[in-house]
Amino acid sequence: MDQFTINLLFVGASFALYIGIAIWARAGSTSEFYAAGRGVHPVTNGMATAADWMSAASFISMAGLIAFTGYDNSTFLMGWTGGYVLLALLLAPYLRKFGKFTVSEFIGDRFYSQTARIVAVICLIVASTTYVIGQMTGVGVAFGRFLEVSNTAGLLIGACVVFAYAVFGGMKGVTYTQVAQYVVLIMAYTIPAIFISLQLTGNPIPGLGLFGDHAASGEPLLQKLDAIVKELGFNEYTTHHSDTFNMVLFTLSLMIGTAGLPHVIMRFFTVPKVSDARWSAGWALVFIALLYLTAPAVGAMARLNITEMMWPNGASGEPVSVETIGSEQQYNWMATWEKTGLLGWEDKNGDGKIAYFNDKDADTVAKMEAAGWGSQNELTKFNRDILVLANPEIANLPGWVIGLVAAGGLAAALSTAAGLLLAISSAVSHDLIKGSINPQISEKGELLSARIAMAVAIAVATYLGLNPPGFAAQTVALAFGLAAASIFPALMMGIFSKKINNTGAVAGMLAGLVVTLIYIFLHKGWFFIPGTNSFTDADPLLGTVKSTSFGAIGAAINFAVAYIVTGMTKELPQDIKDLVESVRIPRGAGAAQDH
């Protein structure tokens, strides 16, 4: 059986399962559509939350970014994990106790203002839409490879699949679909990692193999990787090279952005009790840890495998020949990925070799020229988002493992896309239409408007996914910055401050969102349109602060503006102070109220 057929079997079987679950658990009421009827067990919810969280950025892109940067990109792991701790301790139980369906509804009631609710909806839509772009980018990469079509065709196919099961199932259907997706994605991530760790180190636990010895040479694996990448002119893998201030800001942006992401917070509205919200967050961390403890090993081992394939006899020997790439089975993955447009190579000096090195480093270029390999890197394109999906092929693993990874990559991207689309549709239908425009709308009409909003969001995200502002994880980082700058401060002040009034909250959210959005657009292009940017992350506007790191500064602006404006306006009403106090008392959970 050929690889394409194996891929189709794995992907087809998993999709049939997801869509079957969505039909079985189809939402018939607004409570089931928004909060799964509030009957989800904490362990089930923790697993669904992990799948919702471990998106294309975590599954497909993160290890690729770590692989080609090393230690400096460990910020993704630190920021995202730390954010879940913040969410579990500071937000989830209190928001569940408030007893509403959406984040925007909490903000509207806490700040006693329809304007605050509408502004929260705008912030939510902007952050969530940016996040969905990253997921659709991952969907395009995965579908493009495993259906052997172009990246664009893969993206369009994936959009149709998301529409099919997210629009009809609502939160109830998505919850149980995500449980199945978690099982698929964690198996797809860890099984290849175990195989590769055994190949390279003899240790079946990838996280331990990373710090073990390389089986072929006997030297420590990380030491060997450092040596070979340094010889090719790249930065050492295990040392810190980037700006420390930007690194701290980026980690902080990811942390508070995680705690402010609406699609994650919504998951904690689905459990029966306040204590279940805490348990859900704890279980989610356990399930997430299984992947996050494996990711650094996946990145390092893949980087070593790729480098050794390009230089079979070491960096002091000869680079791989064009003939070898075209004829030997272990290089078949390169031809397959070249079809997607995400991998490319070119024999620029006509010597029949493909020399892979850092052609921005003068000493390395001089060394390569002296050896006769030319002055230009001939591995012309290696999209970071393909690394995890290509990893089993690079390591020459069995066909069924490659098929499993295909299903896992798609599960990761589609599960998070569905959660984000639910957050967007809930904000539009429940908070905007029912909460402000047409309070008398029927339940049937509200469900219809939610599904229409979701369809529109899919269309927008698909269009923007064709020209994303970065790799999947980088695009997602922008969304975290937007959530950090707009939603997280409002939630924190809403729960823990008896001072901030409606005017201050609205001013803070708008200031944080607008300033952060402008900073991102200045670096990534206005509305992410290529070529309209004035700066780049390599040469940012403010010192060393990249667009992906600005969310922490945006959050500080949000807090400052909210407190300053509150001090210049009316004091918080006593009934709202009492409301804040009641939310922080750990007794029971309020029933969801329909407005």
Side-chain angles (χ1 to χ4, degrees), residues 61-82 210-211 237-242 247-248 250-252 254-255 292 295-297:
S61 193
M62 180 175 64
L65 290 174
I66 293 173
F68 285 90
T69 301
Y71 172 83
D72 287 332
N73 269 349
S74 62
T75 46
F76 285 98
L77 292 169
M78 295 186 289
W80 285 339
T81 306
L210 177 65
F211 298 99
Y237 194 84
T238 58
T239 53
H240 174 46
H241 301 281
S242 65
M247 190 175 184
V248 171
F250 182 62
T251 305
L252 185 58
L254 293 182
M255 284 180 66
Y292 276 24

Side-chain angles (χ1 to χ4, degrees), residues 416-478:
T416 303
L420 288 163
L421 292 165
L422 266 174
I424 294 169
S425 66
S426 301
V428 172
S429 62
H430 192 68
D431 294 309
L432 195 60
I433 295 176
K434 187 174 179 65
S436 301
I437 298 172
N438 183 12
Q440 305 307 316
I441 190 172
S442 66
E443 189 168 282
K444 185 177 180 181
E446 189 178 350
L447 280 174
L448 178 62
S449 64
R451 285 168 174 147
I452 292 172
M454 196 180 285
V456 172
I458 291 173
V460 172
T462 302
Y463 173 76
L464 293 173
L466 294 171
N467 291 290
F471 302 119
Q474 292 171 330
T475 305
V476 166
L478 296 175

Side-chain angles (χ1 to χ4, degrees), residues 133 463-464 467 469 513-535 541:
I133 296 169
Y463 173 76
L464 293 173
N467 291 290
L513 176 67
V514 171
V515 172
T516 304
L517 204 53
I518 289 173
Y519 197 83
I520 288 172
F521 285 161
L522 284 172
H523 293 76
K524 297 296 184 182
W526 291 91
F527 302 99
F528 299 132
I529 297 172
T532 59
N533 59 302
S534 303
F535 303 90
L541 171 61

Side-chain angles (χ1 to χ4, degrees), residues 262-299:
H263 78 289
V264 174
I265 293 171
M266 280 180 68
R267 292 240 49 95
F268 299 104
F269 298 155
T270 65
V271 293
K273 299 179 297 184
V274 173
S275 59
D276 292 338
R278 288 193 191 276
W279 277 107
S280 291
W283 279 109
L285 274 170
V286 171
F287 292 126
I288 290 168
L290 294 177
L291 188 146
Y292 276 24
L293 291 174
T294 306
V298 170

Side-chain angles (χ1 to χ4, degrees), residues 86-98 268 273-275 277-278 281 495 583 588-589:
L86 283 181
L87 182 61
L89 295 177
L90 300 180
L91 296 181
Y94 302 110
L95 291 173
R96 173 62 190 93
K97 186 176 188 299
F98 199 73
F268 299 104
K273 299 179 297 184
V274 173
S275 59
R278 288 193 191 276
I495 294 170
V583 168

Side-chain angles (χ1 to χ4, degrees), residues 269-468:
F269 298 155
T270 65
V271 293
K273 299 179 297 184
V274 173
S275 59
D276 292 338
R278 288 193 191 276
W279 277 107
S280 291
W283 279 109
L285 274 170
V286 171
F287 292 126
I288 290 168
L290 294 177
L291 188 146
Y292 276 24
L293 291 174
T294 306
V298 170
M301 292 176 186
R303 179 73 180 275
L304 182 59
N305 272 337
I306 292 165
T307 306
E308 289 190 323
M309 289 187 81
M310 300 308 295
W311 294 88
N313 300 309
S316 57
E318 291 189 352
V320 66
S321 68
V322 176
E323 182 184 355
T324 299
I325 292 174
S327 61
E328 293 194 14
Q329 183 180 352
Q330 71 183 95
Y331 290 89
N332 286 350
W333 67 275
M334 293 183 68
T336 305
W337 278 100
E338 186 185 27
K339 294 175 186 175
T340 67
L342 301 173
L343 179 71
W345 62 93
E346 180 187 351
D347 181 13
K348 295 179 179 178
N349 63 349
D351 64 355
K353 309 288 184 182
I354 300 298
Y356 163 60
F357 60 93
N358 182 12
D359 56 9
K360 303 293 188 295
D361 181 72
D363 291 341
T364 305
V365 170
K367 184 173 71 174
M368 292 296 170
E369 284 186 314
W373 310 131
S375 61
Q376 292 179 289
N377 173 32
E378 293 174 328
L379 185 63
T380 55
K381 188 170 189 179
F382 196 114
N383 188 295
R384 308 294 190 258
D385 288 346
I386 75 173
L387 185 131
V388 169
L389 299 178
N391 215 13
E393 298 169 274
I394 295 169
N396 203 25
L397 298 184
W400 68 268
V401 179
I402 297 169
L404 180 62
V405 170
L410 292 169
L414 296 176
S415 62
T416 303
L420 288 163
L421 292 165
L422 266 174
I424 294 169
S425 66
S426 301
V428 172
S429 62
H430 192 68
D431 294 309
L432 195 60
I433 295 176
K434 187 174 179 65
S436 301
I437 298 172
N438 183 12
Q440 305 307 316
I441 190 172
S442 66
E443 189 168 282
K444 185 177 180 181
E446 189 178 350
L447 280 174
L448 178 62
S449 64
R451 285 168 174 147
I452 292 172
M454 196 180 285
V456 172
I458 291 173
V460 172
T462 302
Y463 173 76
L464 293 173
L466 294 171
N467 291 290

